[in-house]
Amino acid sequence: MCVGGCEQAVRAALSRRGFFRGAAAAVAGLSAAPAAAAEAAPRSFTRAVDLTHTMSPDFPTFMGKPGIEMQREFEFRKDRFNLFWWHVVEHAGTHLDAPIHFSEAGLSADKLPVEQLVVPLAVVDVVYQAEQDADYLLSRDDLVLWEQKHGRLPAGCCVALHSGWGELAVSDPARFIGRDVNGTLHFPGFAPAAAQWMIKERQVAGIAVDTLSLDNGESKEFKTHRLWLPSGRWGLECVANLDKVPASGATVVVGAPKVKDATGGLTRLIALV
Ligand SMILES: [Zn+2]
């Protein structure tokens, strides 16, 4: 028996539990998960953390051109409402890389099942290594070390590279891009061997970086992109605030754009902690 407000609270808690049980079960079915693992434990959260950078024409981009242009079409003072016309690059700001970005017939952003977009978040801290080496590649050893501390990477998870570069996007855009006198960029990324290991040995839905690219800045062949995306998995680039979420235990909600045939696009990324 409930009194004043209690019933509402219980209902809210129950529907939240149901939501996460459903999402976790669906994610467990992502790849070759054994049937017994299909019923994952329900998850709950107490706070939401925004892993998204504010997008603007000034936000640093891989191509060096503004990732968005905003043209004021209607103005409140004159028209009694405000409206911009956006011209936006798919791969700028905090954004998704869909499998089709680096494959001939991979899924586009609109086709990614939502069950693969609400997933456990594993954050791998390589801040120290990246301080010593701007071209640092997150290795298989880093993943093994994470597992020694936190247990096996959860089925259907997102593995995020936390290099400390996230805050540079705002405080020091030139260092965030890391362009040297020869035009080569310098920032950390995932080693192709680490990507290969996650594809073969673990069930990972997506990888995320707080830098401009899944590959490190000096990469010319984009090997990690070429391994990861054609395997049907997604990526996230320019992720913010990875220092504000735990290494293990959070859930990430990937608010990817549902635009027909999109190869990626601006994404609102929220961690539930
Ligand atoms: Zn991209």
Side-chain angles (χ1 to χ4, degrees):
M1 182 71 182
C2 272
V3 287
C6 165
E7 191 186 351
Q8 225 175 350
V10 169
R11 268 203 201 140
L14 282 176
S15 65
R16 202 163 64 185
R17 279 165 62 93
F19 165 66
F20 279 104
R21 190 183 295 121
V27 165
L30 171 69
S31 46
E39 181 64 20
R43 277 174 276 153
S44 60
F45 66 95
T46 53
R47 63 190 172 98
V49 179
D50 199 342
L51 302 184
T52 324
H53 283 294
T54 299
M55 188 52 174
S56 78
D58 299 324
F59 191 84
T61 63
F62 190 88
M63 308 275 195
K65 295 176 186 166
I68 189 168
E69 288 169 12
M70 297 172 71
Q71 185 182 328
R72 192 181 280 281
E73 287 286 303
F74 295 94
E75 195 170 354
F76 191 81
R77 274 192 196 162
K78 187 158 59 81
D79 307 303
R80 307 301 293 162
F81 68 100
N82 288 311
L83 188 150
F84 288 97
W85 181 263
W86 292 0
H87 187 149
V88 66
V89 179
E90 281 181 323
H91 295 267
T94 301
H95 72 275
L96 174 86
D97 277 12
I100 189 70
H101 184 36
F102 268 74
S103 58
E104 208 173 336
L107 290 182
S108 48
D110 54 310
K111 300 265 171 48
L112 287 170
V114 287
E115 293 80 8
Q116 292 178 24
L117 298 175
V118 182
V119 298
L121 178 64
V123 180
V124 183
D125 186 331
V126 293
V127 171
Y128 176 78
Q129 296 92 317
E131 268 172 13
Q132 319 301 312
D133 176 11
D135 301 310
Y136 187 73
L137 287 167
L138 186 150
S139 68
R140 195 193 127 171
D141 286 351
D142 292 320
L143 297 171
V144 170
L145 208 61
W146 187 95
E147 289 197 333
Q148 282 169 5
K149 286 186 195 158
H150 307 288
R152 192 180 170 94
L153 287 168
C157 71
C158 169
V159 176
L161 176 160
H162 175 214
S163 69
W165 250 241
E167 59 182 42
L168 295 178
V170 181
S171 67
D172 193 346
R175 213 181 129 211
F176 181 71
I177 298 167
R179 191 185 307 277
D180 67 19
V181 289
N182 301 314
T184 302
L185 308 188
H186 297 280
F187 51 77
F190 276 93
Q196 183 76 288
W197 181 76
M198 286 188 282
I199 290 169
K200 283 195 165 168
E201 305 294 336
R202 294 293 182 271
Q203 296 165 21
V204 177
I207 52 176
V209 293
D210 56 2
T211 61
L212 279 170
S213 172
L214 306 179
D215 288 274
N216 70 358
E218 63 177 3
S219 168
K220 298 279 185 271
E221 297 175 42
F222 306 109
K223 280 185 182 169
T224 296
H225 273 87
R226 291 190 193 289
L227 279 166
W228 192 257
L229 299 177
S231 78
R233 293 163 174 84
W234 47 259
L236 291 163
E237 292 167 337
C238 301
V239 174
N241 295 328
L242 285 175
D243 58 329
K244 298 185 175 61
V245 288
S248 163
T251 298
V252 67
V253 180
V254 182
K258 197 167 181 177
V259 176
K260 191 173 183 299
D261 300 331
T263 73
L266 280 174
T267 291
R268 191 68 187 253
L269 203 60
I270 301 167
L272 307 175
V273 181

